[in-house]
């Protein structure tokens, strides 16, 4: 393939932009997997789940306490009724004996219920203390997460802005490079990160392999408009030193003087 030297050199600019776009993509992926942000999200979720579970446990305890209180109220009312019956003098001796036995049973039952209520209230107090602490941690972790999200959003915005600028630069470059040369570059770039590299001395700027003196003979002898490929990595080799052969008419003497 033949292509003007200066069109070939534009591939280096295109490669630089593509390298920048690749790096921006890598930064974005790294940002998505940021351990600080991921840890903040996980902690926020874990604490929120714990707070929800404790809230549910607290609601269960409140129902248990309410049930015990209802039972205590029923026992108290029953005992008051029995005592009123005994005080009325209308009960027979056998009924009085039964009422007294029931009052003793009710007293034991009330004592058990009150003990249960005290235990439940103590558990509730401990649970409420734990819940308040978890809620404090939830608020704290929410702020940490908000700060992490703000920082991540700022970095994403910067990456997106740089990506947009680089993409615009790339479009402008591609327009000024012949289609056949762009197509060759794109085919190579689809397979590997570096599709065009400068030949610095005898070293390929892509694979960094230094050519032997024998390898350099045909490279130096090739016309200036010949599109060369690195035999090691397949990248397009962009020559910065003029070849020894007669230049193509595609590059004027005035333009070539800039590279001598």
């Amino acid at each position: 393939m033949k292509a003007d030297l200066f069109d070939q050199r534009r591939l280096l600019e295109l490669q630089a932009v593509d390298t920048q776009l690749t790096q921006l993509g890598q930064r974005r992926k790294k940002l998505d997997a940021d351990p600080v942000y991921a840890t903040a999200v996980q902690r926020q979720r874990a604490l929120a789940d714990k707070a929800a579970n404790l809230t549910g446990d607290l609601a269960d305890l409140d129902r248990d306490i309410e049930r015990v209180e209802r039972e205590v109220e029923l026992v108290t009312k029953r005992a008051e009724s029995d005592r009123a019956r005994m005080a009325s003098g209308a009960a027979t001796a056998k009924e009085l004996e039964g009422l007294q036995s029931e009052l003793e049973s009710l007293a034991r039952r009330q004592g058990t219920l009150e003990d249960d209520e005290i235990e439940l209230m103590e558990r509730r107090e401990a649970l409420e203390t734990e819940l308040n602490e978890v809620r404090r941690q939830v608020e704290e972790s929410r702020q940490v997460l908000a700060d992490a999200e703000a920082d991540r959003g700022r970095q994403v915005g910067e990456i997106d802005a740089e990506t947009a600028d680089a993409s615009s630069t790339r479009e402008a470059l591609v327009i000024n490079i012949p289609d056949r040369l762009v197509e060759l570059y794109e085919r190579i770039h689809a397979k590997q990160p570096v599709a065009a590299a400068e030949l610095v001395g005898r070293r390929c700027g892509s694979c960094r392999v230094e050519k032997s003196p024998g390898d350099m003979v045909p490279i130096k002898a090739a016309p200036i408009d010949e599109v060369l490929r690195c035999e090691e990595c397949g990248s397009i080799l962009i020559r910065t030193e003029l070849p020894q052969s007669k230049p193509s008419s595609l590059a004027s003497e005035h333009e070539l003087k800039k590279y001598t």
Side-chain angles (χ1 to χ4, degrees), residues 8-24 162 166-167 169-170 173 177 185 189 193-198 238:
Q8 293 185 47
R9 290 182 63 83
R10 288 192 182 99
L11 291 182
L12 292 177
E13 299 178 55
L14 182 58
Q15 179 63 68
V17 173
D18 280 340
T19 298
Q20 181 186 8
L21 286 170
T22 299
Q23 292 171 342
L24 287 168
E162 290 181 40
S167 297
T169 300
R170 190 183 198 281
L173 282 170
I177 302 175
Y185 172 90
H189 191 256
V194 180
E198 184 177 4
I238 310 300

Side-chain angles (χ1 to χ4, degrees), residues 3-169:
D4 188 278
L5 170 65
F6 304 101
D7 288 331
Q8 293 185 47
R9 290 182 63 83
R10 288 192 182 99
L11 291 182
L12 292 177
E13 299 178 55
L14 182 58
Q15 179 63 68
V17 173
D18 280 340
T19 298
Q20 181 186 8
L21 286 170
T22 299
Q23 292 171 342
L24 287 168
Q26 292 172 345
R27 281 175 57 191
R28 184 61 182 268
K29 289 181 180 179
K30 185 177 180 180
L31 196 60
D32 291 337
D34 180 17
V36 175
Y37 176 74
T39 299
V41 171
Q42 291 173 1
R43 177 168 172 76
Q44 172 66 21
R45 289 175 180 171
L47 287 171
D49 289 343
K50 187 174 182 179
N53 291 333
L54 288 172
T55 300
D57 293 342
L58 198 61
D60 291 340
L61 273 178
D62 285 338
R63 283 192 291 270
D64 289 340
I65 291 171
E66 185 179 354
R67 174 182 55 77
V68 171
E69 288 176 343
R70 286 198 302 268
E71 290 189 37
V72 169
E73 184 179 359
L74 290 174
V75 169
T76 300
K77 287 182 178 180
R78 180 65 179 179
E80 289 175 351
S81 175
D82 287 351
R83 282 192 286 269
R85 174 69 175 162
M86 291 176 69
S88 69
T92 65
K94 186 175 182 179
E95 288 176 332
L96 287 173
E97 184 180 352
L99 289 169
Q100 182 62 41
S101 177
E102 185 175 61
L103 281 172
E104 292 173 358
S105 177
L106 289 171
R108 289 193 297 272
R109 177 59 179 162
Q110 183 172 347
T112 299
L113 289 172
E114 288 174 348
D115 289 342
D116 290 345
E117 184 177 10
I118 291 173
E119 182 183 350
L120 289 171
M121 292 296 290
E122 289 175 347
R123 286 170 56 192
R124 188 189 190 285
E125 183 179 358
L127 195 61
E128 190 170 27
T129 299
E130 183 180 3
L131 177 58
N132 289 336
E133 173 60 21
V134 171
R135 283 173 174 167
R136 185 194 66 77
Q137 293 177 8
V138 167
E139 290 304 315
E140 185 180 81
S141 69
R142 184 177 289 120
Q143 184 58 51
V144 171
L145 179 58
D147 292 343
E149 287 177 336
D151 183 58
R152 182 176 182 276
R154 176 186 58 78
Q155 293 185 62
V156 167
E158 292 175 355
I159 291 172
D160 288 346
E162 290 181 40
T163 299
D165 288 344
S167 297
S168 296
T169 300

